[in-house]
Amino acid sequence: MLKKTTQLKNMLTSDQLEFIMEAHNGMSARIVEEAGFKGIWASGLTMSASLGVRDNNEASWTQILEILEFMSDASNIPILVDGDTGYGNFNNMRRLVKKLEQRAVAGVCIEDKLFPKTNSFIGGEQQPLADIDEFCGKIKAGKDSQTDDDFCVVARVEAFIAGWSVKEALKRAEAYRQAGADAILIHSKKHSPMDIELFMKEWGDRHPIVIVPTKFYSTPTDRFRDLGISLAIWANHLMRGNITNMQSLCREIYEKESLVSIEDKIAPVSEVFRLQGAAELQEAEKIYLPTRDKSINAVVLAASRGSELEELTKDRPKAMIDINGKPILYRTTKTLQKIGIKETTVVRGYKKEMINDSSCQYIDNDDHENSRDLYSLFLAREKINGESLIAYGDCLYRKHLLVDLLDNESPIRIVVDALRDGGDKKAKDFVCCSEDFTSDFFMKKISLTGVQEGVAENASGEWTGLIACSKEGAGLLVSTLEEMEQKSDIRMLSITDLLSELIKKTEVSIVYTNGGWVDVDEMSDVIEARDFQGNL
């Protein structure tokens, strides 16, 4: 791979219009690279904004260097840093170039204003320009200090910003070219490219030209190509987009006092980990740390037809009912994958040939017409051999329910939907708990005390079909299944019977929720599931 400095120099001297994108920290630098950009603009405005200070050299140059080091480490493409005025005189410029090279930054752009600078879009006409000879000395000092021949110094001409004519802009640009600048950035705050066009008409192709079309953004990009521009900088748009999104998100969380409505609209924590390079650390742990088994098995029960749905399940099992273009079961297994579960076993039965996702393993309940859900679980008992999760294949679950369940470290735990105003009368698997739901239930240890199938009176909530267990809990669950199989016809029993047996032997912990799932039993549930999925 070419050095970062060489990559940037090639972009400046290319006969094609090139583009670089603003970033302001390590994360945004990596995102810019992944998007396909060939270079990064380390914006003084947005780096300052990320620190909560003004773009007036309020952030010291050493603080900016620290940000740049993280950005450079996080990316493999060149960074052109907005170096303001060079943070002082020629001597500061010499030291700046030295420190940038040490951090593998490919180039620096300095502007011909006075230190401390003010952003060009704030009262530009009142901002005095630097003396041409003094600024040329700063350029020469930077070029003489570099140890990498391909390190680039870009000279930014602020004549148009300060209200000067094209003649002044051309005079300064030519002086900076002769002083050794690798390219000229010609800046304008007009909403049309008029200044740029006037400049380019006289400038020709004597030296690479860089522009920042923040104000004249509506100009067709091909116009920049026609003018012979070498490099266009999208200068502050990641930060501005972040601000809009953060403001909206904060308002919604503040107003709703909950995360439920926004969790599925934002990047999952796993995406943060990916951008941080967590996978590389995990691979390194395999080399340098003892092996630790963190795998979780999932068993999804999807053997039933769901005859209450009549024509909808005539040619497919209930778990394969279409919800906005994808079957229920597909959506459930993909949610399991999103939370890190790598092995999912589906127990199928009715129209089993319809269930054939290659990412899953399968166990067939060929006696599905004469058996209930407990028998399907019994057939899959060998898959419950460590940290395990059990779910119904005809339910949709929001991701946070599964995450909350797995985060609980009790040997056996279930998710219960707390009842309000007497609960949903259609609910079947009512349960009683040691304490009813309150807002501080996270601080309490709540356990299952009884099961009331079909009886809502005095119940604490409805069981959602979700069970999780530790390795210890898995052993107890499987042994209880085998005992029940010995004592009676297990085909006629339900998982609520299993829960009743388990609470005789151990504590079954409760993870409360308020909604966040849909159990598809009848047509009204299908409609609810489509709305539910549409809001994810």
Side-chain angles (χ1 to χ4, degrees):
M1 179 181 290
L2 292 176
K3 294 182 301 180
K4 292 181 179 180
T5 51
T6 306
Q7 293 178 52
L8 178 59
K9 176 153 275 190
N10 288 347
M11 293 178 72
L12 290 172
T13 58
S14 169
D15 59 0
Q16 303 293 321
L17 174 63
E18 304 283 0
F19 303 92
I20 61 176
M21 180 70 182
E22 172 263 324
H24 46 272
N25 56 24
M27 180 74 78
S28 56
R30 184 160 289 166
I31 289 171
V32 167
E33 180 176 4
E34 287 192 353
F37 283 99
K38 293 162 65 175
I40 295 166
W41 171 248
S43 161
L45 169 62
T46 63
M47 286 189 290
S48 297
S50 72
L51 297 174
V53 298
R54 291 171 287 240
D55 187 23
N56 292 71
N57 293 126
E58 291 184 358
S60 71
W61 75 283
T62 55
Q63 289 173 316
I64 296 299
L65 279 176
E66 185 173 3
I67 295 173
L68 291 170
E69 184 168 356
F70 282 107
M71 291 174 63
S72 183
D73 287 347
S75 57
N76 297 303
I77 55 177
I79 296 172
L80 175 61
V81 60
D82 179 1
D84 294 338
T85 61
Y87 305 104
N89 66 9
F90 77 93
N91 193 41
N92 301 89
M93 181 64 177
R94 293 194 299 183
R95 186 161 175 78
L96 175 63
V97 169
K98 179 180 179 180
K99 293 303 178 182
L100 292 176
E101 284 193 310
Q102 289 173 354
R103 290 157 177 79
V105 173
V108 62
C109 176
I110 58 172
E111 59 195 80
D112 56 355
K113 291 193 297 196
L114 301 182
F115 179 87
K117 58 76 62 88
T118 298
N119 187 277
S120 299
F121 298 146
I122 302 176
E125 290 84 353
Q126 286 78 48
Q127 298 179 35
L129 299 183
D131 176 80
I132 292 178
D133 290 338
E134 187 272 337
F135 193 72
C136 287
K138 198 179 293 187
I139 294 170
K140 291 174 183 176
K143 294 302 293 180
D144 288 345
S145 300
Q146 68 189 64
T147 57
D148 184 332
D149 290 341
D150 287 342
F151 183 88
C152 294
V153 174
V154 177
R156 173 166 151 178
V157 177
E158 292 283 288
F160 289 135
I161 296 294
W164 290 84
S165 67
V166 67
K167 182 179 178 181
E168 179 69 16
L170 287 163
K171 180 175 74 172
R172 287 176 172 269
E174 178 59 22
Y176 304 158
R177 182 186 73 83
Q178 292 187 23
D182 296 282
I184 303 298
L185 192 159
I186 186 69
H187 206 20
S188 173
K189 62 179 180 180
K190 289 183 178 177
H191 291 283
S192 78
M194 181 187 306
D195 286 342
I196 308 301
E197 290 174 340
L198 288 172
F199 179 89
M200 292 302 296
K201 182 178 180 181
E202 299 296 330
W203 184 257
D205 59 356
R206 71 180 88 167
H207 212 47
I209 294 297
V210 181
I211 60 169
V212 183
T214 301
K215 291 292 187 179
F216 47 98
Y217 61 86
S218 62
T219 304
T221 302
D222 280 343
R223 181 59 182 146
F224 304 147
R225 292 188 172 93
D226 293 342
L227 291 171
I229 304 298
S230 300
L231 182 70
I233 299 174
W234 312 124
N236 46 47
H237 299 81
L238 279 189
M239 173 58 74
R240 288 162 60 192
N242 286 343
I243 290 171
T244 299
N245 290 332
M246 286 190 290
Q247 288 172 332
S248 174
L249 194 66
C250 281
R251 280 195 299 269
E252 185 168 351
I253 294 173
Y254 177 78
E255 291 168 1
K256 296 187 177 180
E257 298 182 339
S258 171
L259 301 176
V260 172
S261 66
I262 61 93
E263 180 61 32
D264 294 304
K265 300 177 184 177
I266 60 177
V269 176
S270 60
E271 176 64 2
V272 178
F273 293 156
R274 186 189 71 79
L275 289 167
Q276 290 173 316
E280 188 279 332
L281 179 59
Q282 290 173 340
E283 291 302 312
E285 287 177 346
K286 294 176 184 178
I287 300 172
Y288 303 114
L289 290 178
T291 302
R292 291 174 289 180
D293 184 10
K294 298 180 182 177
S295 62
I296 301 173
N297 299 322
V299 174
V300 179
L301 307 177
S304 66
R305 170 187 171 178
S307 56
E308 301 90 343
L309 291 161
E310 300 177 349
E311 288 298 314
L312 272 182
T313 58
K314 183 177 181 180
D315 62 348
R316 70 193 60 208
K318 181 163 59 168
M320 295 301 288
I321 290 174
D322 182 277
I323 302 296
N324 298 335
K326 299 289 183 183
I328 299 172
L329 181 60
Y330 173 89
R331 296 192 179 279
T332 298
T333 56
K334 294 308 175 188
T335 302
L336 292 172
Q337 290 174 15
K338 287 179 181 178
I339 64 169
I341 292 179
K342 296 182 174 59
E343 182 176 314
T344 297
T345 299
V346 177
V347 183
R348 58 188 181 179
Y350 178 72
K351 299 289 184 182
K352 63 184 182 182
E353 68 279 1
M354 297 283 297
I355 301 176
N356 54 15
D357 186 339
S358 60
S359 67
C360 299
Q361 300 180 29
Y362 296 99
I363 291 174
D364 294 340
N365 177 1
D366 291 326
D367 197 20
H368 57 88
E369 291 185 1
N370 303 306
S371 63
R372 300 179 70 186
D373 53 8
L374 188 65
Y375 183 59
S376 290
L377 184 61
F378 176 77
L379 293 176
R381 63 191 182 281
E382 290 186 0
K383 296 296 183 180
I384 308 171
N385 55 14
E387 185 82 17
S388 302
L389 185 148
I390 299 162
Y392 281 149
D394 59 352
C395 292
L396 288 174
Y397 302 103
R398 293 201 187 276
K399 186 176 62 176
H400 71 85
L401 293 189
L402 305 176
V403 172
D404 290 347
L405 182 61
L406 294 179
D407 282 348
N408 186 302
E409 296 181 353
S410 302
I412 299 178
R413 58 271 192 194
I414 65 174
V415 176
V416 172
D417 192 354
L419 293 180
R420 294 179 176 176
D421 302 324
D424 182 352
K425 299 304 180 184
K426 295 188 300 180
K428 296 179 180 178
D429 297 327
F430 295 107
V431 296
C432 296
C433 305
S434 58
E435 289 192 46
D436 289 346
F437 173 82
T438 59
S439 60
D440 62 346
F441 79 92
F442 291 105
M443 307 299 294
K444 299 178 180 179
K445 193 167 186 179
I446 303 173
S447 57
L448 180 69
T449 59
V451 178
Q452 298 181 174
E453 191 168 351
V455 180
E457 187 176 358
N458 299 321
S460 301
E462 181 187 1
W463 175 52
T464 62
L466 290 173
I467 304 175
C469 52
S470 66
K471 185 175 183 180
E472 173 192 352
L476 179 60
L477 190 150
V478 170
S479 65
T480 303
L481 278 172
E482 292 174 344
E483 289 173 9
M484 294 175 73
E485 194 269 340
Q486 291 295 319
K487 291 179 181 178
S488 59
D489 186 357
I490 199 169
R491 288 173 172 78
M492 297 296 102
L493 300 178
S494 71
I495 296 183
T496 52
D497 294 316
L498 171 65
L499 294 177
S500 295
E501 289 297 314
L502 285 171
I503 60 176
K504 297 175 184 177
K505 300 180 177 183
T506 189
E507 182 177 66
V508 175
S509 295
I510 300 300
V511 175
Y512 269 124
T513 186
N514 276 299
W517 70 295
V518 176
D519 181 8
V520 179
D521 281 325
E522 51 190 69
M523 276 304 303
S524 61
D525 298 327
V526 175
I527 296 170
E528 182 182 355
R530 288 170 179 166
D531 291 339
F532 176 90
Q533 185 64 38
N535 289 323
L536 287 180

